[in-house]
């Protein structure tokens, strides 16, 4: 049932995780659409596949190597399960949301998925040893972390020489003047209500940040256009699951989600916000 507004990411995700499985699906992220007609789960799997290829997981699977991957901001564990079952990867998923950890553990147990574990940890101070993973992976979690430089340095620190950091997230394509922020403050308040506290950076911020840490950037792709149909699918899910979502996050939560789809779609179309993916290799 609704508990009222909670914008800090851990509390926000504790509040919305169950509703978001209805609104966004098993994988709590945008979809990459080839022609715009695919169901949402096909498109979310396609985004995960883009991350998989950027991380070079198929090559490792083909050579029989078991990679160890840190999934920073693991949601309810959908991508982690896909990596373990599809590519034999050993995944450690972390999130600051206690509900997220509990849900991810339960889903993996219910589905009998081995090779995944989930812990409540912060991606900006993960406390894992240096060079203890082959891949550090942040699928749509960076925008929720206030200290994004710490996220990048923590990811770079925990990958071994020759390992990779892969990240995809919402992007800011241009500076937003203060007068515009004021004029659109209701739109920004709607986004905050639906998605919690968030900060969007340009694609170059992540690529340059990883390069400054000594990594070699291999991929920097803008995915704004192919992610655009996501909003239609989210609105459709909000209509289909109206009563269950209202039960979980209240009328105001449901309304904020639907309005935020309209706001984000407009920002996508007018060139303000978008989506992108970066991958970089640690030399050695
Ligand atoms: C949009 S969801 C993406 C979930 C998952 N990667 C997926 O694609 O299904 C964002 C995730 O980031 C997590 N998160 C937010 N801030 C975090 C932080 N500082 N450290 C770790 N996880 C965080 C949230 O709890 C949530 O699980």
């Amino acid at each position: 049932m609704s508990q009222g507004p909670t914008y800090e990411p851990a509390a926000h995700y504790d509040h919305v995780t169950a509703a978001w499985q209805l609104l966004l699906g098993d994988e709590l992220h945008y979809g990459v659409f080839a022609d715009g007609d695919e169901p949402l789960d096909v498109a979310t799997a396609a985004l995960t596949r883009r991350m998989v290829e950027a991380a070079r997981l198929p090559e490792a699977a083909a050579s029989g190597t078991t990679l160890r991957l840190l999934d920073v901001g693991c949601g309810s564990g959908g991508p982690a399960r896909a990596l373990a079952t599809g590519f034999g990867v050993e995944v450690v998923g972390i999130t600051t949301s206690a509900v997220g950890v509990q849900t991810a553990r339960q889903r993996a147990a219910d589905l009998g998925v081995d090779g995944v574990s989930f812990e409540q940890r912060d991606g900006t101070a993960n406390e894992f040893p240096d060079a203890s993973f082959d891949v550090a992976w942040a699928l749509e979690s960076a925008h929720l972390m206030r200290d994004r430089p710490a996220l990048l340095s923590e990811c770079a620190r925990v990958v071994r020489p020759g390992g990779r950091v892969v990240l995809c997230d919402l992007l800011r394509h241009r500076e937003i003047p203060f007068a515009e922020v004021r004029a659109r403050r209701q739109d920004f308040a709607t986004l905050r209500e639906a998605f919690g506290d968030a900060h969007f950076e340009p694609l170059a911020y992540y690529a340059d940040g990883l390069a400054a840490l000594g990594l070699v950037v291999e991929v920097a792709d803008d995915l704004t256009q192919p992610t655009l149909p996501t909003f239609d699918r989210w609105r459709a899910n909000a209509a289909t699951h109206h009563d269950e979502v209202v039960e979980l996050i209240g009328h105001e939560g449901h309304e904020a989600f639907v309005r935020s789809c309209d706001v984000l779609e407009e920002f996508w179309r007018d060139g303000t916000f978008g989506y992108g993916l970066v991958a970089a290799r640690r030399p050695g």
Side-chain angles (χ1 to χ4, degrees):
M1 204 41 213
S2 173
Q3 302 158 348
T6 46
Y7 302 132
E8 186 279 318
H12 186 76
Y13 271 83
D14 282 350
H15 181 56
V16 300
T17 292
W20 280 31
Q21 289 187 276
L22 299 167
L23 295 166
L24 275 64
D26 228 8
E27 301 199 27
L28 303 181
H29 57 242
Y30 284 62
V32 165
F33 292 80
D35 57 21
D37 292 333
E38 311 93 303
L40 181 60
D41 61 343
V42 172
T44 52
L47 174 58
T48 303
R49 181 73 199 189
R50 295 287 284 248
M51 290 279 283
V52 159
E53 278 158 16
R56 312 275 176 98
L57 303 187
E59 289 91 322
S63 69
T65 309
T66 301
L67 295 185
R68 189 169 138 82
L69 180 148
L70 178 64
D71 180 2
V72 182
C74 60
S76 43
R81 294 193 300 276
L83 301 184
T85 54
F87 301 94
V89 177
E90 183 191 325
V91 184
V92 179
I94 62 169
T95 170
T96 44
S97 164
V99 172
V101 170
Q102 196 185 355
T103 308
R105 284 179 180 161
Q106 191 62 53
R107 294 279 292 148
D110 290 347
L111 295 166
V113 176
D114 293 324
V116 293
S117 62
F118 301 97
E119 297 180 29
Q120 190 175 9
R121 293 189 190 226
D122 189 331
T124 63
N126 64 49
E127 297 181 347
F128 287 109
D130 294 356
S132 52
F133 290 91
D134 300 291
V135 177
W137 158 294
L139 204 179
E140 214 175 291
S141 55
H143 65 286
L144 297 163
M145 299 183 210
R146 190 164 284 275
D147 191 351
R148 291 174 296 292
L151 166 69
L152 297 184
S153 60
E154 281 291 85
C155 286
R157 181 183 66 75
V158 298
V159 293
R160 62 164 171 79
R164 287 185 168 81
V165 176
V166 292
L167 176 154
C168 65
D169 219 299
L170 291 89
L171 301 177
R172 176 172 52 77
H173 286 316
R174 63 177 178 86
E175 291 296 333
I176 308 175
F178 181 66
E180 187 181 340
V181 173
R182 278 199 65 178
R184 298 176 91 162
R185 62 185 177 279
Q186 188 51 53
D187 287 345
F188 288 110
T190 297
L191 294 183
R192 184 173 191 245
E193 200 181 333
F195 295 105
D197 285 326
H199 307 267
F200 304 161
E201 301 287 1
L203 189 59
Y205 173 93
Y206 294 112
D208 294 351
L210 290 170
L213 291 163
L215 278 71
V216 179
V217 176
E218 297 176 323
V219 180
D221 287 345
D222 189 288
L223 299 173
T224 303
Q225 282 312 311
T227 48
L228 182 60
T230 303
F231 305 115
D232 267 344
R233 302 302 190 287
W234 287 354
R235 276 187 293 254
N237 283 343
T240 303
H241 300 291
H242 175 277
D243 293 354
E244 300 146 274
V245 171
V246 166
E247 179 66 25
L248 290 163
I249 57 172
H251 280 289
E252 64 289 353
H254 183 275
E255 267 170 37
F257 181 84
V258 174
R259 274 188 286 122
S260 76
C261 290
D262 300 339
V263 168
L264 281 171
E265 183 165 7
E266 192 185 330
F267 278 132
W268 244 241
R269 289 190 190 281
D270 74 11
T272 303
F273 295 146
Y275 207 94
L277 186 154
V278 173
R281 182 176 52 80
R282 184 170 164 188

